[in-house]
Amino acid sequence: MTPDRQGAKAYRTVGGGGFEGARHRPLGVVRHAARVARTGGAAARIGFERGGGARVRRLAGAAEDRVRQRLRPTRARMRALVARPGGQLVWQDVPVPPPPGPDGALVHPIAVATCDVDRPLALGTVPFPLPLHFGHECVAEVLEVGEAVTSVRPGQRVVVPFQISCGACPSCRAGRTANCTGTPPLSMYGFGLAAGHWGGAYSDQLAVPYADAMLVPLPDALDPAAAASVADTVCDGYRHVAPHLPALLARDPDTRVTVLGALGPDSAFSASCPLYAALTAKALGARHIVFADSRPAVRAQADALGLEGVRPNTLRVRPSSPLVVDVSVDARGLALCLSRTAPDGVCSSGGSFAGTARIPQLQMYGHNATLHVGRTHARALIPGVLALMADGRLRPQDVITELSALDDAPRTLGRHIRGDATKTVLTV
């Protein structure tokens, strides 16, 4: 099950030398608590806009189980990586999950990747309370399945989407798996109490409540390390482009695509999602892709991937684009992207943690422009992404800047969160 270690050298060749400096400082306990109190209200309102009772019952059940297992343990123990205030990442000894229910499964993560939000999450600068069980992008090996599960079997390698979805509600059946109504809003791995305390991918075992609905078998030809981020950020980049670009290219084969990453050189958000968006555009046939980011090392990485890396402040003097992707996580970035969206064009934005953002409404009206802001429906997109990877058109592994052993997670990820690496993947 272990990826070919010789392949790790290939993953280090793109931008690997420019990301080692310790540039980001974590917040301590007091400053982190103040940040969560100041900015966490909106996330809390979304999380409790429906299913609040179910969320509270789940959290209460998890707390009760923890106390019971501490006083009278009945299950074996495992390690799980915990992020604490102050940038601490430590292995913690915890009980293994309970045996799966009829629809569930237990899986063993074998390749786990960093998400772009993991750095600010571990630094304590985004509104998710620490401590929490860390990590939400992985390929795993199935250990055990419930009696009603038919689509996967023990020993099989699977992509584990980071969002919890039941597969049976109207939202799931329509492909809107991020808004599953069978679970409380924002139910996700790796985001702690704010997302329902589902555990983290940097652990020996992970419980999957809806195995048939969630788990996607990994094609045998694909390396688990290459596919680890399909659980989230590869799909996140893909969804900004794939729904729009084919029709635009059919209308004009020279359609320009513009992707915006960080506006400032000190952004804590890593750059894999904007790079995946640009690589998706390339995979689908776009010939003119502009990739804007303020960080010189990221622009160098984009150039090495066959993209046109530019500074964001040059976009205002460049032609507008029929498809513009905003992955700046900055309200100012959204405004810039909307100003560069061509008439009848589309601007797709991953949003930000800002409560509000200004948009040029009159200009958008005059241009007949479309703006989409939202989260990825990861589970619905995974099969299409894997198909692009299987035929060689999309290579997420080219974005990986460090491949290391899962046993070294605290040290390797500590370096990741304080530095500027784009994508770190840990394998068993």
Side-chain angles (χ1 to χ4, degrees):
M1 296 294 181
T2 303
D4 180 1
R5 301 304 300 175
Q6 289 185 323
K9 295 181 181 178
Y11 299 151
R12 296 174 188 269
T13 58
V14 180
F19 299 100
E20 292 299 325
R23 299 185 58 249
H24 301 286
R25 298 183 61 181
L27 300 184
V29 174
V30 174
R31 293 178 64 202
H32 167 63
R35 178 68 60 89
V36 171
R38 186 169 68 251
T39 62
R45 286 193 296 273
I46 296 171
F48 282 89
E49 64 185 10
R50 59 169 175 78
R55 184 181 290 276
V56 170
R57 288 191 296 273
R58 174 173 176 78
L59 295 177
E64 181 182 350
D65 179 72
R66 180 179 300 179
V67 172
R68 186 167 53 247
Q69 289 300 313
R70 183 174 299 169
L71 297 177
R72 294 184 178 179
T74 60
R75 303 197 302 274
R77 311 288 289 185
M78 70 173 190
R79 63 180 182 174
L81 193 69
V82 173
R84 296 173 178 167
Q88 298 180 61
L89 293 165
V90 296
W91 288 120
Q92 184 172 311
D93 187 51
V94 300
V96 300
D103 298 316
L106 291 181
V107 302
H108 168 51
I110 60 173
V112 189
T114 55
C115 171
D116 291 356
V117 77
D118 278 348
R119 180 178 293 124
L121 181 67
L123 293 171
T125 60
V126 289
F128 295 96
L130 301 175
L132 53 75
H133 287 191
F134 198 54
H136 61 272
E137 296 189 354
C138 74
V139 167
E141 177 186 343
V142 178
L143 298 177
E144 185 179 353
V145 299
E147 59 188 24
V149 175
T150 60
S151 64
V152 295
R153 63 186 184 279
Q156 195 167 13
R157 296 183 304 182
V158 292
V159 179
V160 185
F162 79 107
Q163 297 155 329
I164 310 299
S165 59
C166 72
C169 69
S171 290
C172 286
R173 291 199 301 270
R176 300 191 299 271
T177 51
N179 289 324
C180 170
T181 58
T183 59
L186 303 181
S187 291
M188 302 176 287
Y189 295 114
F191 288 89
L193 293 173
H197 194 59
W198 291 94
Y202 294 101
S203 60
D204 291 329
Q205 295 186 28
L206 197 61
V208 180
Y210 307 105
D212 282 337
M214 292 177 59
L215 299 179
V216 183
L218 183 71
D220 291 338
L222 295 183
D223 183 345
S229 279
V230 174
D232 180 9
T233 44
V234 181
C235 286
D236 203 3
Y238 174 91
R239 58 99 177 191
H240 287 297
V241 174
H244 317 293
L245 184 58
L248 293 171
L249 289 174
R251 191 169 66 200
D252 178 6
D254 290 324
T255 290
R256 174 186 295 264
V257 178
T258 297
V259 179
L260 175 64
L263 276 185
D266 296 323
S267 174
F269 292 90
S270 49
S272 71
C273 185
L275 287 171
Y276 291 142
L279 290 179
T280 298
K282 189 175 179 181
L284 294 178
R287 299 196 289 257
H288 304 289
I289 305 167
V290 176
F291 183 92
D293 197 289
S294 287
R295 297 165 289 191
V298 174
R299 292 198 303 273
Q301 188 175 14
D303 289 337
L305 292 169
L307 310 171
E308 183 186 358
V310 304
R311 292 179 175 84
N313 59 9
T314 68
L315 293 181
R316 295 190 183 278
V317 297
R318 289 173 172 267
S320 58
S321 298
L323 178 58
V324 181
V325 178
D326 165 39
V327 203
S328 64
V329 202
D330 190 316
R332 297 170 302 161
L334 174 61
L336 174 60
C337 285
L338 287 170
S339 74
R340 306 318 303 150
T341 303
D344 296 305
V346 175
C347 176
S348 181
S349 173
S352 74
F353 290 99
T356 60
R358 299 179 64 179
I359 64 172
Q361 179 178 315
L362 183 59
Q363 181 188 41
M364 290 179 64
Y365 174 79
H367 284 177
N368 209 28
T370 298
L371 168 63
H372 180 269
V373 181
R375 297 171 294 127
T376 180
H377 297 295
R379 173 56 185 86
L381 300 176
I382 289 172
V385 169
L386 292 178
L388 270 184
M389 292 177 62
D391 68 15
R393 286 189 288 164
L394 181 62
R395 291 176 49 85
Q397 60 266 40
D398 291 342
V399 175
I400 298 174
T401 45
E402 181 166 4
L403 183 66
S404 188
L406 188 57
D407 290 343
D408 295 332
R411 180 176 59 85
T412 303
L413 294 175
R415 184 169 63 248
H416 176 93
I417 68 169
R418 287 169 172 80
D420 275 337
T422 296
K423 178 67 65 173
T424 298
V425 177
L426 304 181
T427 63
V428 296

